[in-house]
Amino acid sequence: MEEIVVVGGNKLKGSVKIEGAKNSALPILAASLLADDGVTTLYNVPDLSDVIVMNQVMEGLNAKVSFDKVNNTVLVDATLPLSSHAPDQYVSKMRASICFMGVLLARTGKAKLSVPGGCAIGKRPIDQHLKAFKALGAEILYDDGYIEITGNELIGNIINLDFPSVGATQNIMMAAVKAKGTTFIHNAAQEPEIVDLAKFLNKMGAQIYKYGTECIQIIGVDNLKAVSYTIMEDRIEAGTFMIAAAMTKGNVLIENARFDNNLPLIYKLIKMGARIVNEKNGIRVTGPEVLKSTNITTMPYPGFPTDLQAPITAILSVSQGTGIVTETIFEDRFQHLEEMLKMEASVRWKGNAAIIEGVDKLQGAVVYATDLRAAAALVLAGLTANGTTRVRNLKYLDRGYYKFHQKLQNLGAKVARKKYLESKLYSGGQ
């Protein structure tokens, strides 16, 4: 087993390159199966374990997939007839595999998936997805842990989402692009990753309008073509390094990061005392000598992203004053705070709210990641802690961060990734 070992105390300095967005690459990879003629070429695809699983799902559906990890390029040939049953052994590993529902429904007229897996951060129900498919004319059948959806001819409709779910919005978009007539998605998700998917689908020949707003219009088409497309930058990875720079009193240029995509975090970091500059090649973050605490409430975009909630708790734990973090998206996303208590953070929480009182210094400890963003948060906490922090359960970190420890090393952090033997008395994490 492996752990990341962090010796705290160093200021981060230099520049760091941000990878392509995982949360954009996964649905776009799935959407590439909508092209039944030609080979789709995707650039800036991050080399992450989730991407590997996504490629395996597509191969299990009878697509030909080639991943050039050196150049971060994926080729997808979906010209052969596709299976409508996504392979269970891969679907169970990753929540994002749910987006194959809309793709397979549009491409084959039916879809069968087992209940998808992923990080244990809450219930994450899929009722919004299924309600939308029904509105498009599909029939839903539940059978012994499987969801079967049938809809040989989808018909455009008006779909009102109860919550602006990113996954549901993506699934509806991918199903509706080949439906007869026009579909309107009201209360749609507005995240930059939604915009990226819409641009990709439009390049394939789809007719999607008003994406990035709360009402998306989709006019169905008969066919979509294979294209070349470059995945957007990962705003969550960018945000993680922005937080790392600020909390270590560092000076870091986050290459490729877009100012407009990171405004919710930028506003909070400026309020905490950081200096943020929008430069030609990215965003520069300079941390203050004294960080001031603030309150955070996660919200759908353009609100503060839930994926940065765990990393923001790390910086609040060493900020002057008291901050309240309210999580409105997922109900089980404070599990990492149990681990931060081991580092002598002053945190307490109940329900969806956490109160974090800043301390002068955290203390190094052995901690276990409970999900993807928690893993990054614990590493960040270790950057400012006295002594040595050992972060374990790295299977979560590898789902969303590419060579995280090496990038921190290049910025001057004392961090290494090593093998260790787990004690039989405590296996740690989930």
Side-chain angles (χ1 to χ4, degrees), residues 28-48:
I28 286 177
L29 279 166
S32 68
L33 299 184
L34 291 168
D36 56 10
D37 184 23
V39 177
T40 294
T41 304
L42 299 176
Y43 301 104
N44 203 31
V45 180
D47 182 9
L48 303 171

Side-chain angles (χ1 to χ4, degrees), residues 120-143:
I121 56 176
K123 296 178 181 177
R124 310 175 87 176
I126 61 171
D127 58 308
Q128 295 294 294
H129 305 244
L130 301 180
K131 184 179 78 171
F133 294 145
K134 286 182 179 179
L136 294 174
E139 295 182 357
I140 313 294
L141 176 66
Y142 302 91
D143 182 23

Side-chain angles (χ1 to χ4, degrees), residues 6-317:
V6 188
V7 179
N10 283 18
K11 297 180 179 181
L12 300 187
K13 295 181 179 180
S15 62
V16 59
K17 179 181 176 294
I18 299 305
E19 308 297 321
K22 178 196 106 162
N23 291 339
S24 187
L26 299 181
I28 286 177
L29 279 166
S32 68
L33 299 184
L34 291 168
D36 56 10
D37 184 23
V39 177
T40 294
T41 304
L42 299 176
Y43 301 104
N44 203 31
V45 180
D47 182 9
L48 303 171
S49 59
D50 271 10
V51 170
I52 302 300
V53 173
M54 204 71 174
N55 291 344
Q56 290 170 330
V57 174
M58 292 195 295
E59 289 174 336
L61 292 169
N62 204 32
K64 296 178 182 179
V65 183
S66 175
F67 190 5
D68 179 351
K69 297 182 180 181
V70 175
N71 296 304
N72 297 105
T73 302
V74 174
L75 302 180
V76 181
D77 182 346
T79 55
L80 294 175
L82 297 183
S83 168
S84 60
H85 184 176
D88 299 346
Q89 68 268 36
Y90 302 124
V91 171
S92 62
K93 295 180 181 179
M94 186 178 60
R95 171 73 180 185
S97 56
I98 197 172
C99 63
F100 283 107
M101 285 183 174
V103 170
L104 293 177
L105 193 57
R107 175 71 191 271
T108 71
K110 54 185 176 180
K112 181 178 180 180
L113 287 87
S114 57
V115 178
C119 286
I121 56 176
K123 296 178 181 177
R124 310 175 87 176
I126 61 171
D127 58 308
Q128 295 294 294
H129 305 244
L130 301 180
K131 184 179 78 171
F133 294 145
K134 286 182 179 179
L136 294 174
E139 295 182 357
I140 313 294
L141 176 66
Y142 302 91
D143 182 23
D144 194 25
Y146 289 93
I147 301 169
E148 295 187 48
I149 310 169
T150 304
N152 291 320
E153 184 175 70
L154 300 178
I155 306 296
N157 203 344
I158 297 174
I159 298 170
N160 295 291
L161 293 178
D162 297 333
F163 176 84
S165 162
V166 173
T169 301
Q170 291 168 336
N171 241 334
I172 298 166
M173 289 167 63
M174 290 186 281
V177 289
K178 297 190 73 175
K180 300 294 183 182
T182 302
T183 298
F184 292 92
I185 310 173
H186 291 282
N187 199 25
Q190 303 175 49
E191 274 74 1
E193 294 80 9
I194 294 292
V195 173
D196 210 28
L197 174 61
K199 288 180 177 178
F200 172 68
L201 290 169
N202 280 350
K203 192 171 183 180
M204 295 176 75
Q207 295 185 35
I208 305 175
Y209 305 96
K210 299 181 181 179
Y211 49 83
T213 74
E214 62 182 3
C215 181
I216 299 175
Q217 179 184 7
I218 306 163
I219 300 174
V221 298
D222 292 331
N223 297 103
L224 297 171
K225 62 183 179 181
V227 297
S228 297
Y229 191 79
T230 300
I231 305 295
M232 65 173 279
E233 87 293 341
D234 194 320
R235 64 190 175 101
I236 304 303
E237 185 193 13
T240 302
F241 279 101
M242 290 169 68
I243 293 170
M247 70 186 293
T248 62
K249 305 176 184 178
N251 185 334
V252 177
L253 174 65
I254 294 90
E255 298 179 22
N256 302 332
R258 286 182 50 178
F259 203 82
D260 55 344
N261 283 349
N262 293 279
L263 284 175
L265 173 63
I266 288 170
Y267 291 148
K268 291 298 182 181
L269 290 180
I270 290 174
K271 191 173 183 179
M272 296 177 76
R275 183 170 181 264
I276 314 289
V277 179
N278 187 18
E279 297 189 359
K280 180 179 179 180
N281 298 324
I283 300 173
R284 182 173 297 278
V285 179
T286 305
E289 285 300 311
V290 178
L291 286 160
K292 298 178 182 178
S293 196
T294 188
N295 296 333
I296 303 289
T297 299
T298 64
M299 297 287 287
Y301 191 87
F304 193 90
T306 182
D307 279 350
L308 287 177
Q309 180 256 97
I312 206 74
T313 61
I315 190 172
L316 289 175
S317 70

